[in-house]
Amino acid sequence: MICSMTGYAVKTRDLEHGTLQLELKSVNSRYLDFHFRVAEDLRALEIPLRELLAARINRGKVECRLSFNAAAAKADQLKINGELLATLKSLNERVRGEMPEATPLSVNETLRWPGMFGEQNVDFAELSPEVMALARDALVDFTATRGREGDKLAETIIDRVNAMRDIVRRVAPRIPEAQAIYTEKLRQRLTEALGGASDDRVLQEVAVFATRIDVAEELARLTTHLDEVERVLKQGGACGKRLDFLMQELNREANTLGSKSAITEVSQASMELKLLIEQMREQIQNLE
């Protein structure tokens, strides 16, 4: 399977004391780069999460958000921390005694006070299996989204490969004819320019130039590189860097084709090939 480096997944799980939420999202990057945003009480799980993700993801800038929302617990499970409430009430009265102009704590502020619903009673170490199971579920969806986008990118690249093959097939039969016409024109001009030079000398110079404008090798290598692009895409896996290297090679051949061009058809073919290569390169930058 071909995977894009762009992906997203979010999973939640309701527990006795609250709700766990794990979010994964990724964008393009040359390397595998993790960024964790984990609730402080769950910080100890960052390393096992990193190991789990690194075993399935090869490239991309990946952000992992893990949170525990105690306020999201079911209403019949909510229990106010009486000791904390009494402490807040005492502190509120004391502050109001010292500073009468101070605004008293509202009900909303009191209920939102950290620990008011007893999350201090949560044993976060016991949440480890739940968090890892949640991460595995999220990773399945995350990989699926990257795979679906990867398939679309692969289809786009294959379309460009087929377009390049059409150009090569269109140009290849014209090469010998165009080369012969251009060689004859060159021979006539050299004969006129060199005046008394022998035909052998003229033909020798023409033959040397003919080898310089022969693009058969470039067309053959282009076809070979296109075959390799299709093979790599079919093989799947982390292929972004391999395909990027092949784009460099294809561009090299297209440039040489243009520099050797002796007829308009080849020059146009070179430009069309480079445009298609650039379009493929843009898509490949998104592949893992």
Side-chain angles (χ1 to χ4, degrees):
M1 179 174 67
I2 300 292
C3 284
S4 165
M5 282 190 281
T6 303
Y8 180 82
V10 60
K11 285 286 184 180
T12 60
R13 179 168 296 194
D14 291 332
L15 303 176
E16 182 179 359
H17 299 292
T19 299
L20 278 172
Q21 183 180 71
L22 191 142
E23 180 185 47
L24 294 173
K25 58 182 178 181
S26 66
V27 294
N28 301 348
S29 176
R30 291 187 62 186
Y31 309 102
L32 179 58
D33 186 13
F34 285 118
H35 291 265
F36 284 87
R37 300 181 183 276
V38 181
E40 193 61 35
D41 293 322
L42 298 169
R43 182 69 65 185
L45 297 175
E46 181 175 326
I47 293 178
L49 282 174
R50 182 185 294 272
E51 293 174 349
L52 176 68
L53 298 177
R56 295 285 299 275
I57 304 171
N58 294 291
R59 282 180 72 196
K61 183 177 180 181
V62 183
E63 182 174 310
C64 175
R65 289 176 179 266
L66 174 63
S67 62
F68 178 78
N69 187 0
K74 294 179 181 178
D76 58 357
Q77 295 175 332
L78 294 178
K79 295 180 181 178
I80 290 180
N81 186 336
E83 184 178 350
L84 178 59
L85 181 61
T87 302
L88 281 180
K89 180 182 177 184
S90 175
L91 291 173
N92 184 61
E93 292 173 351
R94 182 177 174 183
V95 171
R96 294 272 295 162
E98 296 291 334
M99 296 184 294
E101 72 282 2
T103 303
L105 282 172
S106 67
V107 174
N108 185 41
E109 290 170 334
T110 304
L111 293 178
R112 289 178 176 274
W113 199 270
M116 185 54 68
F117 287 104
E119 60 265 44
Q120 69 275 20
N121 295 325
V122 176
D123 186 347
F124 287 96
E126 292 184 353
L127 293 182
S128 176
E130 297 288 350
V131 171
M132 299 310 293
L134 189 66
R136 284 190 285 271
D137 288 346
L139 193 53
V140 170
D141 286 357
F142 182 70
T143 304
T145 61
R146 286 162 58 107
R148 285 193 295 272
E149 182 160 326
D151 289 341
K152 292 178 182 177
L153 294 176
E155 290 176 5
T156 302
I157 294 169
I158 289 296
D159 287 343
R160 302 298 186 276
V161 167
N162 291 332
M164 291 182 67
R165 289 191 189 279
D166 288 341
I167 293 172
V168 172
R169 279 193 290 265
R170 187 185 72 214
V171 169
R174 293 276 294 129
I175 299 302
E177 178 189 358
Q179 194 172 7
I181 294 172
Y182 193 84
T183 301
E184 178 58 24
K185 288 183 179 177
L186 181 63
R187 189 189 67 79
Q188 291 177 2
R189 291 181 181 179
L190 283 176
T191 301
E192 293 173 2
L194 297 177
S198 66
D199 286 346
D200 290 343
R201 174 67 188 281
V202 172
L203 291 175
Q204 186 178 7
E205 293 297 327
V206 169
V208 170
F209 186 77
T211 59
R212 293 177 181 173
I213 64 172
D214 186 2
V215 295
E217 290 185 7
E218 282 70 24
L219 293 178
R221 283 197 289 268
L222 275 169
T223 301
T224 301
H225 294 328
L226 292 175
D227 290 343
E228 181 65 8
V229 170
E230 286 192 310
R231 188 195 69 78
V232 171
L233 286 173
K234 186 176 181 180
Q235 183 181 23
C239 60
K241 290 183 177 179
R242 173 65 176 166
L243 290 173
D244 190 54
F245 171 75
L246 286 170
M247 292 305 106
Q248 295 177 32
E249 295 302 306
L250 282 169
N251 199 54
R252 190 197 312 276
E253 302 303 339
N255 276 330
T256 306
L257 193 66
S259 65
K260 284 187 172 182
S261 173
I263 58 175
T264 305
E265 287 89 337
V266 174
S267 298
Q268 290 177 342
S270 172
M271 293 178 62
E272 292 173 11
L273 288 171
K274 287 194 284 187
L275 177 61
L276 290 168
I277 292 167
E278 187 58 32
Q279 291 174 353
M280 284 197 292
R281 192 197 300 272
E282 290 178 1
Q283 303 304 326
I284 288 169
Q285 298 303 314
N286 296 316
L287 288 179
E288 184 176 55

